[in-house]
Amino acid sequence: MKKQSTNIEVKKNNRNYIFRYICRHGIVSNPDISYAVKMSLPTVTQNTKELIERGLVKETGELESTGGRRAKALSVAANAKLAVGLDITKNHVGLMLTNLTGEILKYDRIHLPFQQQDGYYQMVSERLECFLEEASADREKLLGIGISFPGIVDLDNEVIVHSHVLGVESVSFTSVSRFFMYPCYFLNDANAGAYAEGIRSESLERFFYLSLSNSVGGAIFSNNELIQGKGFRCGEVGHMTIIPDGETCYCGKSGCLDAYCSATRLSDVTDGKLEQFFIRLRQGEKEIREIWDRYTEFLSIALNNIHMILDCDIVLGGYVGRYADEYIQEIWEKVSRRNIFEEGSSFVKSCNYRTGAAALGAALRVVELFIEQI
Ligand SMILES: [Zn+2]
């Protein structure tokens, strides 16, 4: 019995590995795969045949011959399966449609203030159906929806333990999923953002994702996994004390990073419009520049502290992360002043996904769960 299950597992792992290889490389041939993944050509051919039969891989003509017979070109049937990501925030819902290769097929962000009421979820569900309609998405192909929540998401007990931003406690997954016609998967917003950055990345294997939105959060991504922590609070750096007895945080304590580095610290001076803050910063307004300098000073403390503990790349995400690229040099300089181990601070990186990262990450989680069992 044990031997049998092991054989099945090996077969499944091989198929999975081959599928991921095709996913990553676009158009390939059986001999290419065999060489790259170090499996015999008959094993690879058998696996790709099965994947073709299941409609997950397709033949796309022949590759250029390098002598001998031309090899069949294979690629992933990208739209064979679809997934949706929903990003629930205080005033908006982000909707993302993706496919097996993680392509962004459609993204929308609608204004819909959160309410922990049936009517709210019914509305989200209706808007989702409109969104799928507009994208001409085949519902049969939809694997499910990933839902990103700004709060502590307990995957063991299937409950959103707490969300200060949304003002809710103990929301069971089922009390949300019952409004949708598809399987639902839940994750925390910073985790979702990190997942979008990491899961298909060739260069980022281990990193910390610092989410600088209207609250500050974080996530640790390592070897294609999110590190959750004992109470599913891993990476909640928003409440690290950076200034003893400092400014009051929304959590009730003093001196938390959130009180200094949330996006609202910047947008509060431009009527809640963060974009406006960065426009005025670019124009060189003195007052705005001072606020930004103060912001990055505190940010550099957090970045150095996180780096001292984890010794890995740090990706700046969230609302502020969107603008980080332009100011990365000055952020590096400030972090370098605190860093005793390295000259530069190029471990701090701006995010790749500037809009819809959490929605995309939530959708990609659904895709990955499918791929894992191929
Ligand atoms: Zn706090």
Side-chain angles (χ1 to χ4, degrees):
M1 195 61 202
K2 188 155 188 252
K3 189 158 188 271
Q4 199 187 2
S5 67
T6 313
N7 280 341
I8 291 168
E9 262 166 46
V10 169
K11 257 192 101 179
K12 194 174 153 187
N13 284 345
N14 285 348
R15 197 161 48 229
N16 206 281
Y17 202 58
I18 290 168
F19 183 79
R20 283 179 195 277
Y21 182 84
I22 305 171
C23 231
R24 259 201 318 276
H25 292 85
I27 296 174
V28 288
S29 68
N30 281 323
D32 287 343
I33 304 169
S34 165
Y35 180 77
V37 304
K38 297 184 180 67
M39 283 182 215
S40 75
L41 187 56
T43 303
V44 170
T45 309
Q46 179 57 33
N47 274 288
T48 53
K49 191 170 161 251
E50 281 173 28
L51 290 167
I52 291 168
E53 279 163 11
R54 289 178 62 187
L56 300 172
V57 164
K58 60 183 180 185
E59 289 181 1
T60 42
E62 287 174 338
L63 289 171
E64 287 286 311
S65 172
T66 49
R69 227 169 48 170
R70 285 174 175 232
K72 274 183 200 152
L74 304 170
S75 70
V76 167
N79 291 337
K81 299 287 174 195
L82 304 171
V84 163
L86 290 182
D87 177 25
I88 308 279
T89 67
K90 195 178 177 197
N91 290 308
H92 297 87
V93 179
L95 302 106
M96 177 71 76
L97 181 68
T98 188
N99 61 14
L100 285 175
T101 51
E103 204 182 327
I104 295 173
L105 300 177
K106 186 174 168 66
Y107 174 66
D108 221 345
R109 187 166 180 261
I110 54 172
H111 181 255
L112 189 62
F114 178 84
Q115 285 174 310
Q116 181 52 27
Q117 285 170 3
D118 290 3
Y120 170 79
Y121 293 110
Q122 271 155 7
M123 184 66 89
V124 175
S125 179
E126 278 166 29
R127 297 298 290 265
L128 169 64
E129 290 305 320
C130 292
F131 171 81
L132 292 171
E133 207 56 56
E134 283 163 22
S136 308
D138 182 351
R139 312 295 206 277
E140 296 279 301
K141 293 178 178 175
L142 197 61
L143 295 167
I145 53 181
I147 306 180
S148 157
F149 257 92
I152 309 297
V153 179
D154 181 339
L155 299 174
D156 287 345
N157 297 305
E158 304 193 342
V159 63
I160 295 143
V161 182
H162 174 84
S163 168
H164 183 90
V165 179
L166 303 179
V168 292
E169 305 247 349
S170 302
V171 177
S172 70
F173 290 180
T174 50
S175 72
V176 176
S177 61
R178 69 194 168 98
F179 293 98
F180 300 94
M181 294 193 282
Y182 318 98
C184 295
Y185 306 87
F186 294 81
L187 67 173
N188 158 275
D189 59 345
N191 276 339
Y195 208 74
E197 292 290 331
I199 196 66
R200 300 283 166 113
S201 169
E202 296 278 313
S203 56
L204 288 167
E205 266 181 32
R206 239 179 113 237
F207 65 95
F208 187 88
Y209 182 82
L210 183 60
S211 177
L212 300 165
S213 288
N214 288 347
S215 61
V216 176
I220 302 174
F221 187 91
S222 180
N223 293 321
N224 289 337
E225 297 276 356
L226 292 161
I227 310 296
Q228 299 287 358
K230 209 172 164 187
F232 294 91
R233 292 188 289 257
C234 201
E236 285 292 334
V237 292
H239 304 287
M240 295 194 302
T241 306
I242 55 162
I243 305 291
D245 303 320
E247 290 188 35
T248 307
C249 177
Y250 70 78
C251 72
K253 311 271 188 220
S254 299
C256 296
L257 175 64
D258 200 295
Y260 296 88
C261 285
S262 74
T264 53
R265 283 280 136 181
L266 307 175
S267 60
D268 276 355
V269 287
T270 46
D271 293 327
K273 294 187 178 72
L274 190 65
E275 195 190 351
Q276 209 52 41
F277 180 91
F278 283 97
I279 289 172
R280 288 169 60 182
L281 177 62
R282 218 167 289 138
Q283 288 166 347
E285 264 186 55
K286 194 168 169 274
E287 183 210 4
I288 297 285
R289 177 33 89 174
E290 279 167 10
I291 293 167
W292 177 243
D293 283 344
R294 190 176 134 84
Y295 180 94
T296 51
E297 200 57 54
F298 292 120
L299 180 63
S300 73
I301 297 175
L303 291 170
N304 186 54
N305 289 355
I306 296 166
H307 188 242
M308 285 299 154
I309 297 169
L310 295 173
D311 186 21
C312 65
D313 286 341
I314 303 175
V315 176
L316 300 176
Y319 300 163
V320 178
R322 213 174 276 176
Y323 301 91
D325 207 18
E326 209 178 324
Y327 303 95
I328 203 76
Q329 204 73 40
E330 50 184 274
I331 293 170
W332 285 349
E333 278 165 28
K334 286 192 178 174
V335 178
S336 292
R337 268 180 246 145
R338 300 182 188 279
N339 185 357
I340 58 161
F341 296 122
E342 285 153 273
E343 284 281 307
S345 292
S346 57
F347 59 86
V348 181
K349 301 182 185 310
S350 56
C351 56
N352 277 320
Y353 294 99
R354 296 181 185 190
T355 47
L360 178 64
L364 288 176
R365 183 76 195 117
V366 179
V367 173
E368 279 304 308
L369 288 169
F370 171 75
I371 294 177
E372 274 168 22
Q373 50 80 41
I374 279 177

